[in-house]
């Protein structure tokens, strides 16, 4: 992998771990395609990427408009000769309300962006990757393409005030693990990135009752891993095509408690202070 320049398309690249991962990839000289809704923020990230030695192309989009995804993928694929080596699906929105305060519009808004958009992006780019002649070699494996997605520890166990967010993130596991099972032998790598608490602005834009923005940086996030450190971990996971990567601090212990002691995990989840 040393010296190989890759084309990496990152969604949700305007801030948080998407931005941090882009900057880390740029520091290693890779070509970036950056997508999110905020074109101004994307342009700033692109400038930072170029200052770090990479190249970056801005491709603004609203992934909640799922009907536009096939055309978006076609556009991105044609931006760089040779297509896209890694698609990192990172866009999403979180939630801060109890089940009784959910309405159908909120449920659909979160599921459209956090689940359906990611699935449709992967489905749209898959045939393009399968048509490539394998060139990228990782740990002795030759790859035609690589699709990565951000889930969450909230997709591993239920978390207060995150019912639909947790549902979407859990559903990503089902789809992308199946994608790996079906296409591993065809040269398609699949990576699931599973963050815990990372210091980003995701809680600021989380959806509250009535569709309002939460507008508050949660205490747990304030004490979370820095975005640059998370970006370094995620970049390494992408370059090494790791199938599953946990990103965070001591809260990641809950993933193992869920696996080996599910009843204890349920009791601990009930004791989590909602925020």
């Amino acid at each position: 992998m040393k010296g190989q320049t890759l084309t990496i398309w990152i969604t949700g690249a305007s801030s948080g771990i998407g931005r941090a991962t882009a900057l880390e990839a740029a520091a290693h000289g890779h070509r970036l395609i950056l997508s999110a809704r905020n074109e101004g923020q994307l342009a700033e990230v692109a400038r930072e990427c170029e200052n770090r030695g990479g190249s970056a192309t801005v491709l603004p989009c609203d992934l909640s408009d799922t009907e536009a995804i096939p055309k978006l993928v076609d556009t991105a694929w044609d931006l760089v000769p040779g297509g896209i080596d890694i698609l990192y699906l990172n866009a999403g929105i979180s939630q801060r309300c109890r089940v009784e305060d959910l309405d159908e519009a909120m449920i659909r808004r979160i599921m459209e962006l956090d689940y359906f958009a990611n699935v449709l992006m992967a489905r749209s780019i898959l045939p393009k990757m399968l048509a490539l002649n394998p060139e990228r070699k990782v740990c002795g494996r030759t790859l035609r393409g690589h699709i990565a997605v951000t889930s969450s520890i909230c997709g591993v166990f239920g978390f207060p005030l995150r019912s639909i967010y947790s549902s979407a993130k859990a559903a990503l596991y089902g789809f992308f693990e199946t994608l790996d099972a079906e296409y591993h032998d065809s040269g398609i790598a699949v990576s699931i990135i599973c963050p815990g608490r990372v210091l980003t602005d995701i809680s600021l834009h989380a959806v509250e009752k009535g569709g309002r923005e939460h507008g508050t940086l949660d205490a747990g996030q304030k004490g979370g891993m820095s975005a640059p450190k998370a970006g370094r971990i995620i970049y390494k996971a992408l370059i090494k095509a790791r199938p599953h990567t946990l990103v965070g601090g001591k809260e990641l212990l809950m993933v193992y408690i869920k696996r080996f002691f599910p009843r204890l995990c349920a009791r601990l989840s009930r004791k989590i202070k909602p925020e």
Side-chain angles (χ1 to χ4, degrees), residues 194-198 225 229-230 233 246-252:
C194 182
R197 286 173 167 165
V198 179
M225 175 181 286
K229 183 174 181 180
I233 294 170
L246 294 170
V247 183
K250 61 184 180 180
E251 72 277 3
L252 300 180

Side-chain angles (χ1 to χ4, degrees), residues 185-201:
D185 293 342
S186 299
I188 302 297
V190 177
S191 297
I192 299 176
I193 309 300
C194 182
R197 286 173 167 165
V198 179
L199 183 53
T200 71
D201 61 1

Side-chain angles (χ1 to χ4, degrees), residues 73-164:
V73 171
D74 287 343
T75 300
W77 191 265
D78 293 337
L79 284 175
V80 180
I84 294 163
D85 297 293
I86 304 174
L87 169 60
Y88 178 28
L89 300 165
N90 175 66
I93 187 170
S94 191
Q95 167 203 355
R96 297 296 185 275
C97 73
R98 293 168 63 90
V99 171
E100 64 187 298
D101 294 323
L102 292 171
D103 57 44
E104 183 176 349
M106 184 190 301
I107 293 168
R108 292 188 179 278
R109 178 183 176 190
I110 295 170
M111 290 299 294
E112 284 288 347
L113 182 56
D114 289 11
Y115 178 70
F116 288 110
N118 290 318
V119 167
L120 293 171
M121 290 277 286
R123 188 192 69 176
S124 296
I125 206 168
L126 178 63
K128 297 179 183 296
M129 288 182 168
L130 288 171
L132 291 175
N133 292 320
E135 292 184 356
R136 182 185 174 206
K137 295 185 181 295
V138 181
C139 301
R141 182 182 174 197
T142 303
L143 300 182
R144 296 181 185 276
H146 182 182
I147 303 172
V149 68
T150 297
S151 182
S152 167
I153 62 171
C154 292
V156 179
F157 58 90
F159 197 99
L161 307 186
R162 314 287 199 279
S163 55
I164 304 306

Side-chain angles (χ1 to χ4, degrees), residues 61-78:
C61 63
D62 180 359
L63 292 178
S64 63
D65 180 8
T66 53
E67 292 184 358
I69 284 177
K71 183 178 180 180
L72 174 69
V73 171
D74 287 343
T75 300
W77 191 265
D78 293 337

